[in-house]
């Protein structure tokens, strides 16, 4: 009996690995200096180590939450009102698309591109009562939740502030005002809903701030879309896009600088979309002609 | 004259105005068909449509075409190049009989190969609509399609991977870091393929040189591809760039392909240009196509046809050009086309089945976006099912996270999992290389070395001061 017992104990000891031996680390993890890709994660057997598995799950959970968390419209409206923008009224107008809820929104992009009737009437009533001017505006800024509410919740007010500064500086420089329409917020909206809002407001151009499809490492990415002469039925061909606006991506300052360039060009040439090229300096891609890299280093 | 289709269930008569409507309503439920307004209104109508479709003779598909012959070069390709001799063995069957025939004990790899050119995409799509997931797996596994360039893809007991080292700004060292990671995890036998961050020809050429030099320096029996528009690749070839494979996204109607900026003659021109370089060593399959359900609707070019039938028609375009790889990027397009894990899994199995039945080297980008109702568990399920079905290849990205395209696909680890539980190996030429390089250390299972193989240790030496 005793022998058998001790034999069993020995077998158990043989397979008992210390926790540090359970994961094979990859020495090339240091190459993460070159890329945000999840390289050199190491392995347990041939599988992901537990910490990496959970880190991935967290990133996915944050991206999912970004899609499904409803926008806190009141807080956002308060944030925007407190910017004291040169608009009347200072409180943003809160609107809703034809997509009643998130599940419908995700499956019916067509409904997210249109205002519901209540929202259409709301704008018309504000114009009839004189609370909103019926005169032409140069620009409407339309804030749309899109696919990431946190992109809008966290970034929209600060970005609008930076934009307002650019617009003010530009007006001072050229002695020509940018007449800004009241800010609008659209829930369950897609980019194209901005065209309908802007055309109801009689704006010559629209800048839509929308929550982008969240990436695993970028749940809070905001996109800006410019359209000249916005009206129903336009497609992406008529729009200019500035993407990946977020604290860890393109800064609010750089994004509003680019937007200002496009707005000026758009107003001068009365165009937007593929015909309007962004010629601000960018470092979007590594344009070095050599393919030299560490894998090809000579001995 | 298009026939009308009807079915009587109890006291109710169901009418289907056209073959397109019947096919659409017989399709297992998915969001893209609802968005297009072509899906069955009720579950009962869907099954009645399936019963009606099962009664349709296969011959009907040669006369009652989904998109008019005069309007669509894909229809003309399907009809004009139909092999009536190969069709003979199944020409007497209905769609329902065809399912039984495919599942029959007497029908094996050789029989399936013999009829392949006699099957039209619509016949494959129709029968898939009345097949369960296990049927799609069982028949696909019986099909065997091989293709070759510097290695052989699609042999029995093999599962290949595309090493996808994308980087949001095409940073050369960033891409090289992901390539190294992939190679050391045994990935890259299907192709080393980069989605470039911009549509710039010079940029594409630089990336082509990068991969070509890596392949040469380490003597890797694989091929490279920059996934840029076919016209860019032709320009690169004219500029003397080292092009192995020509990439292009394709769809199942002429109008879809127009929206992609291609037609059949342009694809033929690109194929000839790549063949003229004569860079393959064990074969000359030089084309790499990507497809995916929903592309036709997304381009507003679907003619009221369901998205799965449109997808199958894209395979007619693919098989015209003897590709090395055909990849259905199943979950990339978003939840308005495939809503959740269940719809993505079904679509992946359908596409793989239809592609293999039509004679294509079919792989699958097992993937999803963050706004779809899907997660890693759904991908594990689809990966395992496709592995069982004999899928030719899958993607490989570091940690399943593509930081350029912002979606999740299978990781290097995932491929090793599938190879391990299903006893699958990489392409034979690449497998020999993995052993020679001391990356794989066990002949029988995917067992990785725990140290850095010598030939790569040199490249990493400059970083040794910082911890390597």
């Amino acid at each position: 009996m005793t022998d058998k017992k001790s034999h069993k104990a020995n077998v158990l000891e043989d397979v008992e690995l210390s926790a540090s031996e359970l994961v094979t680390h990859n020495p090339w993890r240091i190459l993460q200096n070159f890329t945000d890709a999840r390289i050199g994660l190491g392995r347990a057997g041939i599988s992901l180590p537990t910490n990496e598995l959970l880190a991935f799950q967290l990133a996915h959970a944050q991206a999912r939450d970004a899609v499904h968390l409803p926008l806190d419209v009141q807080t956002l409206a308060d944030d925007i009102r407190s910017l004291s923008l040169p608009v009347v009224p200072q409180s943003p107008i809160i609107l809703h698309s034809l997509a009643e809820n998130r599940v419908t929104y995700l499956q019916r992009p067509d409904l997210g591109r249109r205002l519901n009737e209540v929202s259409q009437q709301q704008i018309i009533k504000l114009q009839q009562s004189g609370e909103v001017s019926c005169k032409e505006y140069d620009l409407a800024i339309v804030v749309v939740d899109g696919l990431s509410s946190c992109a809008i919740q966290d970034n929209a007010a600060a970005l609008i502030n930076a934009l307002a500064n650019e617009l003010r500086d530009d007006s001072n420089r050229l002695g020509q005002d940018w007449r800004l329409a009241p800010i609008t917020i659209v829930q369950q909206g897609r980019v194209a809903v901005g065209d309908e809002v802007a055309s109801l407001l009689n704006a010559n151009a629209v800048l839509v701030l929308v929550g982008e499809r969240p990436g695993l490492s970028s749940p809070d990415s905001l996109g800006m879309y410019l359209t000249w002469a916005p009206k129903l039925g336009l497609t992406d061909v008529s729009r200019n896009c500035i993407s990946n606006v977020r604290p860890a991506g393109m800064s609010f300052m750089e994004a509003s600088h680019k937007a200002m360039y496009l707005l000026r060009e758009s107003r001068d040439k009365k165009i937007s979309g593929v015909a309007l090229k962004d010629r601000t300096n960018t470092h979007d891609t590594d344009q070095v002609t050599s393919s030299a890299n560490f894998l090809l280093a000579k001995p | 004259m298009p026939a009308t289709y009807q079915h009587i269930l109890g006291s109710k008569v169901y009418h289907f105005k056209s073959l397109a409507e019947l096919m659409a309503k017989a399709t297992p439920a998915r969001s893209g068909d609802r968005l297009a307004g072509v899906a069955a209104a009720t579950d009962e109508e869907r099954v009645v449509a399936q019963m009606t479709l099962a009664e349709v003779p296969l011959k009907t598909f040669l006369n009652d075409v989904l998109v008019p012959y005069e309007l669509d070069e894909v229809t003309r390709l399907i009809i004009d190049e139909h092999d009536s001799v190969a069709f003979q063995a199944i020409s007497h069957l209905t769609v329902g009989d065809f399912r039984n025939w495919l599942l029959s004990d007497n029908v094996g790899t050789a029989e399936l190969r013999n009829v392949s050119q006699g099957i039209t995409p619509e016949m494959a799509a129709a029968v898939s609509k009345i097949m369960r997931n296990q049927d799609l797996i069982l028949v696909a596994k019986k099909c065997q399609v091989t293709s070759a360039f510097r290695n052989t893809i699609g042999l029995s007991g093999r599962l290949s991977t595309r090493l996808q080292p994308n980087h949001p700004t095409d940073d050369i060292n960033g891409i090289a870091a992901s390539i190294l990671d992939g190679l050391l995890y045994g990935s890259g036998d299907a192709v080393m393929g980069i989605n470039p961050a911009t549509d710039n020809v010079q940029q594409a050429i630089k990336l082509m040189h990068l991969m070509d030099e890596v392949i040469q320096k380490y003597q890797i029996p694989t091929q490279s591809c920059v996934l840029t528009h076919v016209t860019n690749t032709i320009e690169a070839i004219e500029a003397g760039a080292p092009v192995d494979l020509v990439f292009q996204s394709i769809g199942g109607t002429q109008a879809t392909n127009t929206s992609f900026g291609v037609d059949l003659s342009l694809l033929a021109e690109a194929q000839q240009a790549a063949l003229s370089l004569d860079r393959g060593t064990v074969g000359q399959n030089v084309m790499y196509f990507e497809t995916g359900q929903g592309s036709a609707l997304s381009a507003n070019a679907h003619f009221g046809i369901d998205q799965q039938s449109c997808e199958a028609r894209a395979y007619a375009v693919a098989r015209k050009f003897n590709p090395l790889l055909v990849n259905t990027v199943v979950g990339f397009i978003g939840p308005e086309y495939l809503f959740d894990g269940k719809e993505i899994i079904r679509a992946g199995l359908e596409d793989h089945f239809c592609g293999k039945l039509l004679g294509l080297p079919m792989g699958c980008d097992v993937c999803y976006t963050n706004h779809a109702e899907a997660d890693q568990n759904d991908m594990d399920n689809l990966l395992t099912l496709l592995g069982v079905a004999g899928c030719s290849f899958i993607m490989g990205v570091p940690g399943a996270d593509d930081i350029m395209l912002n979606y999740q696909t299978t990781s290097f680890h995932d491929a090793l999992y599938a190879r391990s539980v299903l006893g699958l190996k990489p392409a034979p030429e690449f497998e020999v290389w993995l052993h020679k390089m001391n990356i794989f250390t066990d002949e029988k299972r995917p067992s990785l070395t725990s140290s850095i193989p010598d030939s790569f240790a040199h490249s990493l030496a400059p970083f040794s001061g910082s911890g390597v």
Side-chain angles (χ1 to χ4, degrees), chain B residues 54-177:
Chain B
E55 299 298 317
V56 174
L58 291 181
K59 278 181 185 151
T60 302
F61 293 92
L62 298 174
N63 304 313
D64 194 352
V65 297
L66 298 184
V67 189
Y69 182 91
E70 303 74 28
L71 297 182
D72 189 285
E73 68 171 0
V74 179
T75 302
R76 292 197 288 277
L77 174 70
I78 292 167
I79 297 300
D80 295 349
E81 305 214 346
H82 180 250
D83 184 340
S84 55
V85 177
F87 183 58
Q88 217 133 49
I90 53 170
S91 62
H92 59 295
L93 303 178
T94 62
V95 173
D97 299 331
F98 188 35
R99 175 181 171 276
N100 293 331
W101 186 87
L102 291 168
L103 294 167
S104 156
D105 288 337
N106 298 323
V107 171
T109 304
E111 288 75 16
L112 287 166
R113 186 177 294 132
N114 290 340
V115 299
S116 176
Q117 297 298 316
I119 301 171
T120 66
E122 289 84 351
M123 294 175 196
V127 74
S128 77
K129 293 176 194 299
I130 59 166
M131 292 167 80
R132 275 174 47 195
N133 287 1
Q134 65 163 276
D135 301 340
L136 299 172
I137 293 169
L138 194 150
V139 177
K141 192 175 174 61
K142 288 203 274 189
C143 298
Q144 199 184 96
V145 181
T146 58
S147 56
F149 190 76
R150 286 197 197 100
N151 58 28
T152 315
I153 311 288
L155 291 168
S156 172
R158 308 276 172 175
L159 173 67
S160 296
T161 56
R162 165 184 164 195
L163 204 176
Q164 183 172 311
N166 295 342
H167 188 278
T169 61
D170 289 343
D171 179 86
I172 288 298
N173 276 313
I175 287 172

Side-chain angles (χ1 to χ4, degrees), chain A:
Chain A
M1 269 318 265
T2 326
D3 271 345
K4 256 190 183 169
K5 242 185 194 165
S6 71
H7 175 69
K8 206 173 177 184
N10 277 337
V11 170
L12 281 174
E13 219 163 81
D14 283 348
V15 296
E16 191 173 293
L17 296 161
S18 72
S20 64
E21 287 173 294
L22 293 173
V23 172
T24 304
H25 297 283
N26 296 144
W28 61 90
R29 190 184 177 92
I30 189 76
L31 298 176
Q32 283 186 356
N33 289 335
F34 291 128
T35 178
D36 290 333
R38 293 169 195 255
I39 59 166
L41 300 184
R43 54 191 175 84
I46 47 153
S47 303
L48 275 186
T50 302
N51 62 332
E52 295 295 349
L53 172 82
L54 293 175
F56 183 101
Q57 295 297 84
L58 179 62
H60 184 235
Q62 287 168 338
R64 296 282 299 152
D65 284 348
V67 172
H68 287 278
L69 274 185
L71 183 65
D72 178 351
V73 187
Q74 208 46 58
T75 302
L76 177 63
D78 292 346
D79 290 349
I80 293 174
R81 196 182 51 229
S82 69
L83 298 174
S84 300
L85 300 170
V87 294
V88 180
Q90 288 211 329
S91 281
I93 304 169
I94 295 165
L95 306 168
H96 204 289
S97 81
L98 275 176
E100 282 177 15
N101 53 47
R102 209 57 173 166
V103 175
T104 308
Y105 174 84
L106 289 172
Q107 297 186 66
R108 294 290 304 272
D110 52 329
L111 298 182
R113 295 185 191 117
R114 293 298 308 271
L115 285 180
N116 67 14
E117 207 181 323
V118 174
S119 295
Q120 291 171 348
Q121 289 304 319
Q122 194 181 336
I123 294 178
I124 292 166
K125 277 182 198 151
L126 286 168
Q127 289 169 328
Q128 284 168 348
S129 70
E131 288 172 78
V132 169
S133 166
C134 295
K135 282 193 230 154
E136 212 173 72
Y137 291 107
D138 292 310
L139 175 66
I141 296 177
V142 182
V143 182
V144 181
D145 52 3
L147 284 165
S148 168
S149 64
C150 73
I152 293 304
Q153 199 84 58
D154 299 351
N155 303 327
L159 179 59
I160 290 172
N161 195 34
L163 278 166
N165 290 338
E166 288 276 355
L167 289 166
R168 190 193 57 222
D169 293 351
D170 194 69
S171 298
N172 291 340
R173 211 167 26 241
L174 299 176
Q176 185 186 3
D177 260 2
W178 282 92
R179 287 161 301 168
L180 196 57
I183 309 291
T184 47
I185 301 173
V186 186
Q187 291 171 276
Q188 309 290 8
R190 303 246 172 196
V191 173
V193 81
D195 295 338
E196 183 174 11
V197 174
S199 76
L200 285 170
L201 288 171
N202 294 319
N204 290 328
V206 63
L207 199 57
V208 175
L209 275 46
V210 63
E212 297 188 310
R213 179 168 130 170
L216 206 58
S217 312
S218 52
D220 59 341
S221 185
L222 184 153
M224 298 164 84
Y225 289 82
L226 167 70
T227 318
W228 175 258
K231 58 170 195 258
L232 279 180
L234 295 178
T235 65
D236 282 344
V237 177
S238 310
R239 301 190 183 104
N240 293 85
C241 173
I242 299 168
S243 180
N244 194 30
V245 183
R246 59 192 178 102
M250 189 188 294
S251 70
F252 301 142
M253 191 101 91
E254 191 185 349
S256 45
H257 192 65
K258 273 180 184 290
M260 196 62 240
Y261 171 87
L262 289 170
L263 279 168
R264 258 196 314 269
E265 289 284 301
S266 184
R267 184 162 73 173
D268 288 353
K269 297 181 176 147
K270 305 202 180 311
I271 51 167
S272 63
V274 286
L276 178 63
K277 298 285 180 219
D278 176 8
R279 302 196 194 282
T280 54
N281 287 329
T282 60
H283 304 285
D284 272 0
T285 52
D286 172 11
Q287 293 289 358
V288 183
T289 46
S290 154
S291 55
N293 68 80
F294 71 89
L295 269 183
L296 299 172
K298 297 278 180 301

